[in-house]
Amino acid sequence: MARRTKPTLLSAILGAAASMMMVIPAFAIDEDIVILHTNDTHCGIEDNLGFEGLAAYKKQALASTPYVTLVDAGDAAQGAPVGTLSEGEYIIRIMNQAGYDVAIPGNHEFDYGMEQFLALSRQLDCGYYSCNFMDLSTMTENATVFKPYKLIDYDDVTVAYVGVTTPESITKSRPDSFQSRRGNYIYGFCEDSTGEALYGQVQGAVDAARAEGADYVILVSHLGSGGVTEIWSSRSVIANTSGINAVIDGHSHETMTETVPNRDGAPVCLAQTGTKFENIGKMTITPSGEFRMEMLGNSADGASGFGSDADMKALIAQIKAQYEESLKTVLGRAQVKLTAEDPETGARAVRNAETNLGDFCADAYRFIMGADIGIMNGGGIRAGIEAGDLTYEDALNVYPYGNMICVAEVTGRQLRDALEMGARFYPEESGGFIHVSGMAYTIDSSVPSGVQTDEKRNFTGVSGEYRVRDILVGGEPLDLDKTYTVATHNYWLKSGGDGMSMFTGCPIIKDETMVDVDTITAYIRDYLGGVAGEEYADPRGQGRITIR
């Protein structure tokens, strides 16, 4: 997701913490209510402020007020080897040590499959909350998988924390997590094409919480603002509901504190902390009714300023010791940097442009699986590889999801549809942007996208002219009626991830033969002689994708 920083007022905390204040009606309370919040930490247990900084600041906050609550807005359990190697369990142990009071599932909490996610939810001491994570398998109307909200009493004041999970989860995690063995959806997120189902579900939870005695309602959401489906964004939910005082958001990796008008024109506080502990969010409800938002970040020298929490430090060290030795295994050597970024600006490029790492990943799929074509989604490439020794940890940082590699028989027509789906948002980023091996294509950016999708954002067809053209396979023009063998992960070929429903029903001729990270190991060892070299020297790739 794109990251942007909103202008804020500077606070005295660390000399770099941004704050914003809004006055709302006061209730009977003697001391501040402090709500610390995180989002999109993505297994960054020691990144930036990290869990040690969080635990230390929580103790500092408790020294000044007994009313301290810790909240997470999703995407905590996936994103680095510490998550991948334990399928999220190490992260749950660390969150329990931190003492979270409220947590909601983000789309990436489902990446290890529904069975594992539900097991994690039982291990998390505070449990998960979500008003729109629906169980569609029951005859009960509006049956949610988890409780929609949690009420916390602070003496005579009650605050409701209403959870909401992005409907994009259907396509931005493993779609098979939400389906029965027959492919029918048995879970959903109120993902209708107008947004009204989501707004109604949220409003119903807010009204129920108010009726149960909530003086304040805080929406804890994994919806996002920039670079997401607009009708499901946090701003759209605020604009179409009433009764919410504040929104603690996630999903779009933004750093922001601002106010947004609700359906009735009343201001609603909206905050998001970035990603990987760039900041810790702090919301304060004061006895006088002031509602403050702050971002607690690193000081200029990179120190947290909060000190170190010994108990959290010890737990992280214990967990790291269980997996770090295997991560140091050297798989080969990269003579050049394999990048997911623009070499000039440093901005992420792998979701809207060719890079040498995108070429490398697609090549590994094609060569290892012996297919005509290899394809890789930009959203599945999560980190670059520096020049030098390439370790198992480096490979896991590129592929933290643990997807399985398959080969399917795919028609030229289906391939063209997939490329069009991947290019539909260009020049904006898309996790479904396609890197290729054994083929090349052109995106004509002057042609508006004609991609059509259903309400779950799954591909249904193209209306009008294709913006993808000049498609070559093995140097020859694509034959729409010919069948090609295509190597990629089960997320696309079997689960229809990123809305790639055109692959549904394609014959799978090699089914989940290896985990994606092992293709890097095997490709370097068996095809590159242990070295990723000068063939990948250009960070912009080998010219397989042309933009005009």
Side-chain angles (χ1 to χ4, degrees):
M1 293 294 177
R3 180 182 180 275
R4 61 189 176 88
T5 302
K6 286 288 183 179
T8 58
L9 301 175
L10 291 181
S11 114
I13 299 179
L14 299 181
S19 67
M20 197 167 190
M21 182 179 71
M22 185 180 76
V23 178
I24 55 179
F27 293 95
I29 185 173
D30 297 327
E31 299 181 75
D32 288 348
I33 297 173
V34 173
I35 303 154
L36 303 179
H37 57 95
T38 57
N39 61 269
D40 298 285
T41 55
H42 283 293
C43 297
I45 58 176
E46 295 181 298
D47 290 342
N48 299 303
L49 294 168
F51 275 104
E52 284 187 52
L54 175 65
Y57 186 76
K58 182 182 176 184
K59 289 182 177 179
Q60 290 184 27
L62 283 167
S64 61
T65 176
Y67 308 133
V68 177
T69 296
L70 181 56
V71 173
D72 184 72
D75 278 9
Q78 171 275 342
V82 65
T84 304
L85 294 176
S86 66
E87 294 192 315
E89 292 186 10
Y90 288 152
I91 300 301
I92 297 299
R93 286 178 59 188
I94 293 172
M95 290 178 71
N96 287 340
Q97 178 67 39
Y100 278 89
D101 300 286
V102 180
I104 69 160
N107 52 296
H108 287 304
E109 258 72 51
F110 301 102
D111 284 353
Y112 306 119
M114 186 60 70
E115 182 177 354
Q116 176 65 6
F117 167 68
L118 293 177
L120 294 177
S121 74
R122 293 187 291 270
Q123 295 170 33
L124 182 63
D125 290 345
C126 67
Y128 285 110
Y129 295 83
S130 181
C131 73
N132 71 313
F133 178 28
M134 313 302 293
D135 183 351
L136 307 179
S137 67
T138 177
M139 298 298 292
T140 303
E141 188 176 0
N142 288 330
T144 57
V145 177
F146 301 127
K147 293 180 179 179
Y149 58 84
K150 182 176 185 177
L151 298 177
I152 297 181
D153 294 326
Y154 307 88
D155 282 346
D156 294 331
V157 174
T158 300
V159 177
Y161 297 87
V162 177
V164 60
T165 302
T166 176
E168 289 187 340
S169 298
I170 288 288
T171 54
K172 290 193 173 181
S173 185
R174 292 171 47 178
D176 61 343
S177 293
F178 313 117
Q179 299 169 346
S180 69
R181 293 181 179 179
R182 295 184 178 181
N184 299 317
Y185 281 93
I186 55 176
Y187 297 101
F189 298 89
C190 301
E191 62 276 2
D192 79 315
S193 60
T194 66
E196 293 299 326
L198 178 64
Y199 311 149
Q201 192 69 17
V202 171
Q203 188 66 65
V206 171
D207 293 345
R210 290 283 186 183
E212 199 172 339
D215 300 307
Y216 297 96
V217 173
I218 296 176
L219 195 71
V220 185
S221 63
H222 195 81
L223 295 173
S225 181
V228 301
T229 305
E230 185 176 356
I231 59 170
W232 298 332
S233 69
S234 53
R235 295 175 186 277
S236 293
V237 169
I238 292 171
N240 287 277
T241 57
S242 61
I244 298 169
N245 298 110
V247 176
I248 292 170
D249 198 23
H251 190 40
S252 52
H253 297 193
E254 299 168 274
T255 300
M256 59 195 303
T257 56
E258 60 181 82
T259 58
V260 178
N262 72 1
R263 183 173 61 194
D264 302 325
V268 175
C269 296
L270 174 62
Q272 194 178 158
T273 68
T275 184
K276 287 186 179 285
F277 287 108
E278 291 171 322
N279 302 281
I280 295 169
K282 180 182 179 183
M283 284 190 173
T284 304
I285 306 172
T286 71
S288 62
E290 293 178 352
F291 202 94
R292 297 174 178 167
M293 296 180 286
E294 302 171 75
M295 291 290 117
L296 311 178
N298 286 324
S299 59
D301 63 2
S304 74
F306 302 146
S308 176
D309 181 81
D311 293 336
M312 181 62 74
K313 184 175 183 178
L315 176 61
I316 290 175
Q318 179 190 57
I319 286 174
K320 287 174 62 178
Q322 296 179 50
Y323 72 87
E324 276 197 330
E325 198 60 37
S326 63
L327 296 180
K328 298 175 184 177
T329 302
V330 175
L331 308 177
R333 184 171 179 81
Q335 287 184 336
V336 298
K337 180 178 180 179
L338 300 172
T339 186
E341 301 167 343
D342 185 296
E344 294 180 3
T345 67
R348 182 171 63 190
V350 77
R351 297 188 183 201
N352 59 2
E354 182 181 354
T355 76
N356 60 355
L357 180 57
D359 288 354
F360 174 86
C361 292
D363 284 346
Y365 283 6
R366 178 167 71 98
F367 281 98
I368 294 302
M369 301 304 291
D372 299 324
I373 296 164
I375 58 176
M376 177 64 200
N377 58 321
I381 299 172
R382 306 302 286 192
I385 297 173
E386 295 293 330
D389 286 344
L390 194 159
T391 67
Y392 189 55
E393 182 174 17
D394 293 328
L396 274 173
N397 283 329
V398 176
Y399 289 146
Y401 296 123
N403 288 320
M404 300 298 292
I405 307 307
C406 306
V407 176
E409 293 179 337
V410 178
T411 67
R413 197 174 308 277
Q414 290 167 320
L415 271 171
R416 183 179 65 164
D417 286 342
L419 294 173
E420 188 74 9
M421 183 71 169
R424 65 179 177 139
F425 291 125
Y426 183 85
E428 300 298 322
E429 289 191 323
S430 171
F433 185 84
I434 299 183
H435 298 269
V436 297
S437 176
M439 68 183 305
Y441 68 98
T442 295
I443 301 173
D444 186 344
S445 59
S446 69
V447 176
S449 173
V451 167
Q452 306 293 304
T453 62
D454 62 20
E455 62 183 21
K456 297 182 185 297
R457 298 301 185 264
N458 291 312
F459 177 88
T460 58
V462 177
S463 175
E465 187 178 1
Y466 280 69
R467 63 192 334 215
V468 168
R469 54 192 60 192
D470 302 329
I471 306 170
L472 301 175
V473 178
E476 299 293 328
L478 178 76
D479 184 337
L480 296 181
D481 297 318
K482 182 178 177 179
T483 297
Y484 301 89
T485 56
V486 176
T488 189
H489 40 60
N490 55 350
Y491 175 66
W492 270 358
L493 289 182
K494 297 178 68 175
S495 299
D498 289 322
M500 296 292 183
S501 57
M502 71 288 296
F503 294 131
T504 301
C506 288
I508 304 295
I509 59 174
K510 294 182 181 179
D511 191 5
E512 300 189 1
T513 59
M514 67 171 62
V515 69
D516 52 8
V517 69
D518 289 340
T519 64
I520 293 177
T521 305
Y523 181 52
I524 289 179
R525 181 190 64 224
D526 299 338
Y527 288 87
L528 299 181
V531 178
E534 290 304 311
E535 65 267 47
Y536 297 107
D538 190 338
R540 299 188 186 278
Q542 299 175 9
R544 302 172 186 181
I545 304 173
T546 301
I547 308 292
R548 70 167 190 242

